[in-house]
Amino acid sequence: MSRRESIPVAIAGKLVGGRNPILVQSMTNTSTEDPIATAEQIGQLWEAGSEIVRITVNTREAARCVPEIVSILERKGIDCPLVGDFHYNGHSLLTDYPDCARLLAKYRINPGNVGRGQKHDENFKQMIEVALKYDKPVRIGVNWGSLDQDLLARLMDENAREATPKDSHAVLIEAIVTSAVESAKLAESYGMAKNRIILSAKVSEVPDLISVYRQLAARCTYALHLGLTEAGPGSGGIVASAAALSVLLNEGIGDTIRVSLTPDPGGDRALEVRVCQQILQSLGLRSFTPRVTACPGCGRTTSTLFQEMAGDIQRYLNDQRPLWQQNYPGFEDLKVAVMGCIVNGPGESKHADIGISLPGTGEDPRAPVYVDGRHFTTLSGSAMIPEFIKILDDYVERRYGEKAKTLSVQ
């Protein structure tokens, strides 16, 4: 797939847009007024693979706590760019708390929540001036739940005067796109360079999100942040986000992504990070961790052995990830197959880098192992899982260890 050519933006040493990798972003749900809890969650999101983390900066105390959060992260060795999420009072918080403004890597500005009328332009300009002072990029983030009502009213009035007016929903979509583009142009008029601006325009319906970003991509070259806003909880939120983002990413649209899942109370916030990674990896855009191919099971696989083994191998790969990242560059591209019967087992195993075809119901209780498309050995008995893991370890050491040695020599 060809990638839309956006203007690259530097965020604390990371490049967003252009031909650079699409980055995974997430957001804390802790009170920023609690710096210890917020820093802890940032660390969890960063360890899960979030490359940018956004935090709410909504009160004077929250702004006052940003330096402490950054200090905690530095002591822990966590080098994660922090984005300040500002609404309503961002202009005053950024002005009154210069350490907050200086330490954040990027500011998120919602043009629908900076004020109305003359106050809108004054407050927006004040935030841009702070960004210029500290050389910070901005994300101008439009959301249909907080759309600039003056702009929407203007477009509705213009549409009503047309000979063949559009329906109100089409005007709403146009207003979302126009708000993002016009706000970016306004920021430029205040001195902000194009390579310091990222745009987002979020809605919560899949077809609408696709339509909005297609229009946005056609009208500008700014880097774009993708996300289905308020995606919801559980599988529904995951599927909706994957459906929307996959269409756009497959069309080359998008430079950073977030999956805005609603977690269970006290639930795993990092799930949204892993979903982002799986979307990118499934599309072949990036690789994060080795993936296990495994069949869903059928009447031929009444034994649960292949299910248990597939789960054990995936957990093992996840556990090894921190160590292998340091010692085995490129390991995340590894493909492992754990199959349940003779129908597709040998074929899938041959397509993987390393695979095992377990016996189905009534089949010979032996499991051939394939390495790089060729039969390597056959396993049987109760020690099948640890024996396969040993073969897997040896393969990783041989293939990726040699790569590490080559890189060290260079």
Side-chain angles (χ1 to χ4, degrees):
M1 66 188 76
S2 61
R3 179 90 176 272
R4 168 182 173 267
E5 275 295 328
S6 58
I7 300 171
V9 179
I11 304 175
K14 296 180 183 293
L15 283 173
V16 171
R19 297 185 179 277
N20 296 291
I22 297 165
L23 299 186
V24 173
Q25 183 169 321
S26 59
M27 184 176 185
T28 58
N29 62 356
T30 55
S31 169
T32 310
E33 295 182 5
D34 185 342
I36 295 175
T38 301
E40 181 179 353
Q41 190 174 88
I42 292 168
Q44 293 168 353
L45 293 168
W46 179 76
E47 288 175 1
S50 184
E51 293 153 306
I52 302 172
V53 175
R54 183 157 51 111
I55 61 175
T56 298
V57 187
N58 58 332
T59 65
R60 301 179 75 82
E61 183 60 27
R64 192 179 291 116
C65 285
V66 168
E68 186 176 351
I69 292 168
V70 172
S71 178
I72 294 171
L73 295 175
E74 288 177 346
R75 290 197 298 271
K76 292 183 175 182
I78 297 172
D79 183 21
C80 181
L82 299 185
V83 179
D85 191 52
F86 295 98
H87 299 269
Y88 310 113
N89 59 355
H91 58 290
S92 59
L93 294 179
L94 284 170
T95 303
D96 294 345
Y97 294 91
D99 285 343
C100 168
R102 178 176 57 83
L103 291 169
L104 290 170
K106 183 177 70 172
Y107 312 150
R108 187 275 175 116
I109 305 172
N110 183 340
N113 286 341
V114 297
R116 299 192 66 171
Q118 184 177 348
K119 284 292 185 183
H120 174 283
D121 290 0
E122 291 175 356
N123 295 345
F124 185 80
K125 182 179 182 181
Q126 189 172 340
M127 297 181 76
I128 296 299
E129 287 176 340
V130 175
L132 290 170
K133 178 180 179 180
Y134 294 104
D135 191 24
K136 304 296 181 180
V138 297
R139 170 158 73 92
I140 297 173
V142 178
N143 192 302
W144 75 347
S146 51
L147 185 60
D148 184 336
Q149 293 302 301
D150 292 336
L151 171 64
L152 179 59
R154 187 191 91 200
L155 293 182
M156 286 291 187
D157 289 343
E158 291 174 359
N159 180 66
R161 292 192 291 269
E162 295 289 334
T164 54
K166 305 171 186 174
D167 63 61
S168 59
H169 187 74
V171 179
L172 173 64
I173 297 300
E174 182 184 345
I176 294 167
V177 177
T178 299
S179 177
V181 174
E182 287 189 357
S183 296
K185 295 300 181 185
L186 186 61
E188 285 189 60
S189 75
Y190 296 146
M192 181 67 69
K194 286 184 177 180
N195 68 350
R196 305 302 277 159
I197 299 172
I198 296 174
L199 295 188
S200 67
K202 294 188 176 183
V203 299
S204 56
E205 299 295 334
V206 171
D208 289 333
L209 190 83
I210 294 170
S211 176
V212 163
Y213 274 94
R214 282 173 173 167
Q215 293 182 44
L216 199 55
R219 288 180 58 176
C220 72
T221 55
Y222 301 109
L224 300 179
H225 170 72
L226 301 186
L228 190 73
T229 191
E230 287 89 41
S235 59
I238 292 172
V239 170
S241 293
L245 269 58
S246 294
V247 170
L248 293 167
L249 291 168
N250 203 51
E251 293 178 2
I253 299 171
D255 301 294
T256 65
I257 65 170
R258 183 193 173 201
V259 169
S260 301
L261 297 179
T262 304
D264 294 330
D268 182 10
R269 187 69 167 179
L271 174 61
E272 66 176 52
V273 177
R274 294 191 291 273
V275 173
C276 285
Q277 292 174 333
Q278 288 299 322
I279 291 172
L280 293 173
Q281 187 152 336
S282 295
L283 292 171
L285 295 171
R286 289 187 66 183
S287 295
F288 296 93
T289 190
R291 293 189 61 190
V292 175
T293 299
C295 64
C298 66
R300 292 176 176 271
T301 57
T302 54
S303 167
T304 61
L305 177 59
F306 86 93
Q307 297 164 325
E308 295 166 3
M309 187 171 187
D312 287 345
I313 297 302
Q314 186 66 73
R315 283 187 290 273
Y316 179 75
L317 292 171
N318 292 340
D319 290 343
Q320 294 300 108
R321 179 179 173 180
L323 177 63
W324 287 1
Q325 278 180 323
Q326 296 179 26
N327 299 331
Y328 302 121
F331 86 97
E332 59 273 4
D333 293 322
L334 178 69
K335 294 180 176 63
V336 182
V338 180
M339 301 300 295
C341 79
I342 199 172
V343 173
N344 292 318
E348 285 282 2
S349 297
K350 290 176 183 177
H351 288 309
D353 295 310
I354 178 170
I356 184 169
S357 179
L358 296 166
T361 305
E363 294 177 10
D364 185 7
R366 294 159 58 81
V369 175
Y370 299 86
V371 174
D372 292 331
R374 297 184 177 183
H375 180 257
F376 178 77
T377 188
T378 299
L379 303 180
S380 61
S382 59
M384 197 178 297
I385 293 177
E387 288 175 357
F388 183 74
I389 288 176
K390 177 64 168 59
I391 296 170
L392 175 60
D393 284 341
D394 291 343
Y395 181 84
V396 170
E397 170 62 35
R398 183 173 67 255
R399 177 173 176 179
Y400 299 104
E402 288 300 319
K403 184 176 181 181
K405 293 175 184 177
T406 301
L407 291 174
S408 65
V409 172
Q410 294 175 346

